[in-house]
Amino acid sequence: MDAYDLIVIGGGPGGYVAAIRAAQLGLKTACVERWRDDQDKPALGGTCLNVGCIPSKALLDSSHHFEFMQRHAAEHGITAEPAIDIAKMQARKQKIVSQLTQGIAGLFKKNKVTWIQGHGSLAAADSVRVVAADGTEQTLAARHIIIASGSVPMAIPPAPVDQDRIVDSTGALAFDAVPQRLGVIGAGVIGLELGSVWRRLGAEVTILEALPQFLAVADEAVSKEALKILSRQGLDIRLGAKVVAAKAGKKAVTVEVELDGANETLEFDKLIVAVGRRPNTGELGLDTAGIAVDERGFIAVDEHCHTGVGNVWAIGDCVRGPMLAHKASEEGIAVAERIAGQKPHVDFELIPWVIYTWPEIAWAGHTEQALTAAGRKVRAGSFPFMASGRARAMGDTDGFVKIIADADTDRVLGVHIVGPNASELIAEAVIAMEFGASAEDIARTVHGHPTLAESMHEAALATDRRAIHF
Ligand code: FAD
Ligand code: AMP
């Protein structure tokens, strides 16, 4: 029986990063991954690279360019009549995905991580059974095992996915034509991003959200502003609208929605089910090894991602916490380092969230509502992009930066952004908070001019009511 210091089950951003870090630290490491791409070729990278973060951002960028050409280029004195070639847009997306997934295979070679293709499960707490696509089986001994099996789209009984008329996020990333009428169930991160892609390309998009509040996880100021902007762009976002039935017909999909106590029937050409994701923890042999899952199927782990059984660890979307690629990767690095005898640390309080609509939405730390509910005295300062020279030059003046600081100590407790390039701007906030910065620290830091980042500087000044440009 082949023996490894570490076997990682799953080669997504949790698993492949853990494997590379472990190999860097001198551990004999294998990663078991069963994914097959659209050409039925084995591929690393998991959800993130194959059907998640990367392909969605490729389509978001392409559709953003189209919308710019169509709606905004004229303001810059540029006229053009853009046309869409979906086949080419999709081929570009797929090329980016293949380049990146092949890149991981290259990194495995460089770092001497063995990629074992097939389905992995625990034969015991110290051995992994792998079944290859052709049915051949092998059992491998492992001093440590990391489960990084990720998540899959959640299904709801009223709207069964057929990947034709009713699709999940994977199907929605692969449309070969722009649907005229597109329904989206769920106004979460994925629903908003995919709804934005197809709206920009010409679809009439209706987003149906069961909750009465829009983006309840975000700071209220951000969710209010985002709802206003996205609605103005043409996304028809209906809150308190619970989908109770959906039926795919030959020509359309009929959706029954419960809204204000009454039922309404809507018709779409395509329907995306984006109601969240569930941990992918079946068929892993967890019972065999005595590893517990909670009532929602997440593998139970402690703050170090240890399952409590032998040397078995679990990271990423299959354990508690936000389902985000960077959270999975940081857990992977930390577990690899702990196995190698180091004392790593992941700051779970400071995991940035990003929604890649345009303007983008990003935040880190606490919301003002959560802080107030916890009885904290805070001072908040906001700065609108309308007052930023750089944002005006770009023609991207929607949104603001909001910084929340402790009223007594001035320590930054939360930063919330809706605006252009919020995904990049939030990094400054995370670093500041990681170093325990005060709003005054950000206010005293020289920011280049003219930049969007100056809005962070101004928002810090605004916590003390001394913003210069607003
Ligand atoms: P996964 O990426 O799901 O990887 C798990 C891997 O394990 C898979 O490759 C699977 O094949 C493999 N596997 C599972 N079981 C076995 C087994 N028994 N044997 C062998 N292999 C197995 N997050 C962000 O941070 N930013 C974004 O912009 C973003 N955009 C997203 C857009 C979409 C449309 C979707 C669907 C998700 C998005 N996410 C985003 C979420 C992100 O993709 C996940 O949080 C991330 O992929 C989780 O990483 P992971 O390694 O835990 O799991
Ligand atoms: P997220 O978990 O961020 O991906 O968001 C998924 C969203 O889908 C949540 O806000 C849910 O409230 C919403 N949702 C779940 N089921 C339904 C349903 N049947 N009809 C409308 N919205 C739903």
Side-chain angles (χ1 to χ4, degrees):
M1 184 157 63
D2 270 354
Y4 290 89
D5 293 322
L6 170 66
I7 296 181
V8 184
I9 300 179
Y16 84 71
V17 168
I20 290 173
R21 183 71 189 118
Q24 282 177 347
L25 292 164
L27 301 174
K28 185 182 172 193
T29 305
C31 178
V32 184
E33 173 57 72
R34 65 179 182 205
W35 195 286
R36 301 191 83 83
D37 67 12
D38 58 335
Q39 309 294 314
D40 199 30
K41 290 211 184 96
L44 290 163
T47 304
C48 171
L49 270 71
N50 290 284
V51 292
C53 323
I54 298 301
S56 59
K57 265 79 257 176
L59 292 184
L60 278 156
D61 281 330
S62 297
S63 59
H64 183 67
H65 292 315
F66 177 71
E67 183 162 60
F68 174 79
M69 297 291 289
Q70 203 181 41
R71 292 202 187 183
H72 306 294
E75 294 159 25
H76 293 257
I78 303 165
T79 40
E81 275 179 42
I84 303 171
D85 180 342
I86 292 288
K88 200 162 176 184
M89 199 180 282
Q90 291 287 18
R92 172 185 179 274
K93 176 202 83 181
Q94 216 48 48
K95 190 170 162 199
I96 295 163
V97 167
S98 318
Q99 284 168 338
L100 291 174
T101 55
Q102 283 162 21
I104 311 274
L107 290 173
F108 271 14
K109 277 212 182 90
K110 181 179 146 201
N111 288 284
K112 302 194 172 50
V113 174
T114 307
W115 173 12
I116 302 173
Q117 293 165 10
H119 176 92
S121 59
L122 301 185
D126 59 0
S127 64
V128 173
R129 179 179 304 121
V130 183
V131 182
D134 64 6
T136 50
E137 256 188 67
Q138 57 177 323
T139 302
L140 309 161
R143 209 159 54 74
H144 289 265
I145 296 170
I146 299 179
I147 303 171
S149 55
S151 64
V152 290
M154 192 124 72
I156 48 168
V161 166
D162 59 16
Q163 295 298 25
D164 176 26
R165 291 241 170 246
I166 307 182
V167 300
D168 58 18
S169 57
T170 303
L173 287 168
F175 287 157
D176 56 9
V178 180
Q180 201 196 329
R181 299 163 304 170
L182 175 65
V184 181
I185 312 181
V189 178
I190 294 175
L192 290 175
E193 290 187 6
L194 293 175
S196 292
V197 165
W198 296 107
R199 181 201 59 73
R200 293 171 190 169
L201 298 176
E204 283 164 35
V205 179
T206 307
I207 301 189
L208 304 164
E209 169 55 57
L211 295 176
Q213 204 192 333
F214 181 65
L215 274 186
V217 284
D219 188 87
E220 254 172 54
V222 162
S223 44
K224 257 170 89 179
E225 181 77 357
L227 179 61
K228 206 170 70 192
I229 299 168
L230 296 175
S231 303
R232 195 178 67 217
Q233 290 174 353
L235 280 181
D236 180 1
I237 301 169
R238 306 206 190 163
L239 301 174
K242 185 173 179 200
V243 173
V244 290
K247 194 167 181 301
K250 270 214 176 93
K251 291 211 170 124
V253 40
T254 317
V255 177
E256 206 175 311
V257 184
E258 211 176 79
L259 187 62
D260 296 330
N263 276 22
E264 194 182 333
T265 304
L266 302 169
E267 206 180 78
F268 301 108
D269 299 303
K270 298 268 185 192
L271 179 67
I272 305 175
V273 181
V275 295
R277 298 179 60 81
R278 64 175 174 80
N280 184 19
T281 49
E283 296 169 31
L284 278 172
L286 297 179
D287 288 349
T288 318
I291 290 168
V293 293
D294 71 13
E295 66 286 355
R296 293 191 298 154
F298 289 99
I299 297 173
V301 287
D302 65 13
E303 74 273 29
H304 301 309
C305 296
H306 188 238
T307 62
V309 174
N311 288 330
V312 184
W313 313 75
I315 59 169
D317 279 11
C318 67
V319 303
R320 85 283 172 267
M323 287 184 165
L324 294 168
H326 41 284
K327 176 263 193 186
S329 298
E330 291 307 321
E331 285 180 333
I333 289 172
V335 171
E337 291 177 347
R338 191 163 295 276
I339 291 171
Q342 299 185 2
K343 299 264 180 293
H345 174 70
V346 179
D347 187 350
F348 288 104
E349 295 285 311
L350 266 183
I351 294 171
W353 280 75
V354 181
I355 308 178
Y356 295 80
T357 47
W358 194 269
E360 293 177 338
I361 301 164
W363 68 88
H366 301 285
T367 65
E368 188 170 355
Q369 295 71 45
L371 290 165
T372 311
R376 299 284 294 267
K377 271 187 23 217
V378 297
R379 272 184 294 123
S382 293
F383 185 78
F385 284 104
M386 187 66 90
S388 147
R390 181 74 182 137
R392 280 204 177 237
M394 290 166 72
D396 273 312
T397 50
D398 280 336
F400 57 80
V401 176
K402 171 176 172 178
I403 295 184
I404 308 165
D406 186 284
D408 299 323
T409 65
D410 198 35
R411 188 178 175 143
V412 178
L413 302 174
V415 177
H416 305 269
I417 309 173
V418 49
N421 295 1
S423 58
E424 306 291 341
L425 294 173
I426 199 65
E428 174 180 351
V430 177
I431 290 180
M433 283 188 274
E434 201 58 69
F435 281 82
S438 61
E440 189 65 15
D441 287 325
I442 299 178
R444 296 273 164 207
T445 300
V446 182
H447 288 69
H449 174 76
T451 57
L452 295 172
E454 283 173 300
S455 303
M456 189 78 77
H457 182 239
E458 290 271 7
L461 290 168
T463 61
D464 191 34
R465 306 290 167 255
R466 53 182 225 263
I468 301 292
H469 294 93
F470 185 64

